[in-house]
Amino acid sequence: MSVPLWFFIACLAVVGVKLVRPPMWLVLVLLIGGYILADSLLAPLLDPFVK
């Protein structure tokens, strides 16, 4: 069975939010911050640390 990576990560995120119950503002800040960072000039500097 082949599952797309984005679907697997989305399922992990849903389970993590249900189990840990972080505040919604923290979830939104992490999502928006990650999106902004991925499209910024700092992305090439952060790439080696993420891999």
Side-chain angles (χ1 to χ4, degrees), residues 2-42:
S2 179
V3 177
L5 181 61
W6 65 267
F7 184 72
F8 178 71
I9 292 174
C11 289
L12 282 179
V14 169
V15 170
V17 167
K18 285 188 180 280
L19 289 177
V20 179
R21 300 254 186 220
M24 191 53 72
W25 65 266
L26 181 60
V27 173
L28 291 175
V29 164
L30 289 174
L31 286 173
I32 293 171
Y35 179 77
I36 291 172
L37 251 173
D39 200 31
S40 72
L41 294 174
L42 297 175

